[in-house]
């Protein structure tokens, strides 16, 4: 398996500086957060070419562009058309950066609150994006994310079945699935099977209240809950089942570390990298 850092964890740095940090720490790649100051659908093409040159110089792959556009399920047609245009802008940049995958955010509400029409509308617009992605030789990924249509493996498969495109898959995110309080271990990997395209790694824990750095609140099926972002191994997300499942499925893709714990960015990324390498060795997962 190959290890990437999420550039959003280094958003206080320029994308050039973030790439340098990733290379210095020993990552194989960098997954770029598609918001400034790193990248956006409006980033000039000369600047994108410069990014590719710098990544190549560091020996870094760019496996995915983490787009924030979409929200098709709850947006009006005019806003959906704008999001589609943003997707097309990022798709052009994905080709230039040789990024295999492009993330679209499917939108909400929480899967347990969603109606059939939410899934149908998201599927309609993602199908339109998928047609263009296929023509460009790229894959679309939908992140399993709390407070979205895709909160669990079941809701992910429901939307994927409606989309009906084999080059549209999911990002498994145990941290997000912990928040949702759904299975994120071996069985989740088995259920997703070939539709699991990418993996995000982070840690969190439930807490009593928000207010301190790194804390946030989310609506879950249990009501409004509070969470703390943690470094790997310091929260309550047990990644052992996920890693066993990936080994059993012979997953050969990327793991992206996207820690947002309240520590200096470079320090927390270096810490998580050491931890995930240790876990991979213990799980007998080849890097």
């Amino acid at each position: 398996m190959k290890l990437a850092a999420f550039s959003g964890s280094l958003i206080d740095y320029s994308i050039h500086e973030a790439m340098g940090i990733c290379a210095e720490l020993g990552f194989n790649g960098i997954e770029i957060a598609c918001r400034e100051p790193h990248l956006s659908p409006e980033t000039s093409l000369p600047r994108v070419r410069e990014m590719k040159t710098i990544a190549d110089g560091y020996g870094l792959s760019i496996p995915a562009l983490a787009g924030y556009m979409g929200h098709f399920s709850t947006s009006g047609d005019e806003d959906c058309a704008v999001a589609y245009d943003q997707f097309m802008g990022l798709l052009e940049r994905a080709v230039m950066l040789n990024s295999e995958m492009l993330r679209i955010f499917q939108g909400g509400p929480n899967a347990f609150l969603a109606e059939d029409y939410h899934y149908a509308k998201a599927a309609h617009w993602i199908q339109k994006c998928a047609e263009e992605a296929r023509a460009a030789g790229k894959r679309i990924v939908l992140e399993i994310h709390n407070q979205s249509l895709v909160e669990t493996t079941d809701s992910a498969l429901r939307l994927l079945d409606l989309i009906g495109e084999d080059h549209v898959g999911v990002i498994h995110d145990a941290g997000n699935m912990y928040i949702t309080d759904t299975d994120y271990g071996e069985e989740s990997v088995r259920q997703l099977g070939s539709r699991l395209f990418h993996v995000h790694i982070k840690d969190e824990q439930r807490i009593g209240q928000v207010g301190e750095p790194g804390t946030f609140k989310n609506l879950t099926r249990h009501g409004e809950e509070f969470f703390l972002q943690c470094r790997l191994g310091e929260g309550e997300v047990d990644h052992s089942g996920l890693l066993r499942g990936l080994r059993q499925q012979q997953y050969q893709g990327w793991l992206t570390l996207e820690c947002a714990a309240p520590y200096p960015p470079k320090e927390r990324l270096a810490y998580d990298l050491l931890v995930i390498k240790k876990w991979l060795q213990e799980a007998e997962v080849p890097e």
Side-chain angles (χ1 to χ4, degrees):
M1 264 178 263
K2 297 161 286 189
L3 297 173
F6 181 52
S7 84
S9 298
L10 299 166
I11 203 68
D12 293 334
Y13 296 88
S14 72
I15 188 61
H16 301 169
E17 292 170 325
M19 288 179 177
I21 290 170
C22 291
E24 178 187 343
L25 293 177
F27 283 93
N28 308 114
I30 182 168
E31 178 177 336
I32 299 181
C34 296
R35 52 192 173 97
E36 294 296 351
H38 288 182
L39 182 69
S40 75
E42 293 79 33
T43 300
S44 72
L45 300 187
R47 184 167 165 238
V48 175
R49 282 191 286 270
E50 182 184 18
M51 288 182 201
K52 181 64 167 66
T53 299
I54 291 170
D56 289 346
Y58 283 123
L60 292 173
S61 297
I62 305 173
L65 300 185
Y68 293 90
M69 71 286 160
H71 300 271
F72 296 122
S73 55
T74 54
S75 298
D77 287 347
E78 186 174 328
D79 287 337
C80 287
V82 170
Y84 174 79
D85 289 342
Q86 292 172 337
F87 167 81
M88 291 300 295
L90 282 183
L91 181 60
E92 180 181 12
R93 287 150 182 81
V95 171
M96 295 175 65
L97 293 168
N98 197 28
S99 297
E100 176 193 358
M101 297 173 286
L102 180 54
R103 182 182 72 180
I104 291 176
F105 190 71
Q106 54 274 356
N110 299 70
F112 65 88
L113 296 174
E115 303 288 348
D116 289 347
Y117 70 85
H118 289 118
Y119 284 92
K121 188 165 188 180
H124 168 74
W125 282 95
I126 294 171
Q127 282 173 335
K128 288 174 65 70
C129 296
E131 292 174 6
E132 300 297 338
R134 181 185 292 278
K138 303 301 177 185
R139 299 197 290 175
I140 290 174
V141 284
L142 310 175
E143 185 171 354
I144 299 182
H145 203 292
N146 47 296
Q147 298 193 130
S148 86
L149 297 180
V150 176
E151 289 189 308
T152 67
T153 54
D154 287 341
S155 58
L157 293 172
R158 177 183 179 182
L159 182 54
L160 290 177
D161 286 344
L162 286 173
I163 296 167
E165 297 283 353
D166 61 8
H167 64 294
V168 180
V170 300
I171 302 173
H172 188 292
D173 190 311
N176 291 339
M177 296 163 82
Y178 162 81
I179 293 171
T180 298
D181 193 18
T182 187
D183 175 64
Y184 54 82
E186 293 169 74
E187 179 61 17
S188 68
V189 176
R190 188 198 65 77
Q191 280 188 294
L192 291 172
S194 63
R195 288 162 149 178
L196 195 165
F197 286 5
H198 190 39
V199 178
H200 282 176
I201 302 288
K202 60 176 176 281
D203 202 352
E204 283 143 348
Q205 69 179 56
R206 281 175 165 79
I207 55 173
Q209 62 182 6
V210 295
E212 295 300 317
T215 61
F216 63 98
K217 63 181 178 181
N218 262 350
L219 176 66
T220 75
R221 61 190 176 89
H222 303 298
E224 191 174 77
E225 293 192 277
F226 311 110
F227 302 89
L228 171 66
Q229 297 165 320
C230 304
R231 298 188 300 187
L232 287 183
E234 296 181 349
E236 296 175 345
V237 183
D238 181 358
H239 286 84
S240 59
L242 166 65
L243 296 180
R244 285 194 301 271
L246 294 176
R247 181 189 64 198
Q248 292 164 5
Q249 295 292 323
Q250 297 182 321
Y251 176 76
Q252 297 296 315
W254 288 85
L255 303 180
T256 291
L257 304 188
E258 56 167 359
C259 180
Y263 293 88
K266 184 176 177 181
E267 173 188 311
R268 72 192 179 201
L269 201 52
Y271 182 92
D272 277 10
L273 181 59
L274 289 175
V275 173
I276 192 64
K277 285 185 172 182
K278 178 174 179 288
W279 288 352
L280 289 172
Q281 288 179 340
E282 292 172 348
E284 297 181 351
V285 177
E287 292 182 41

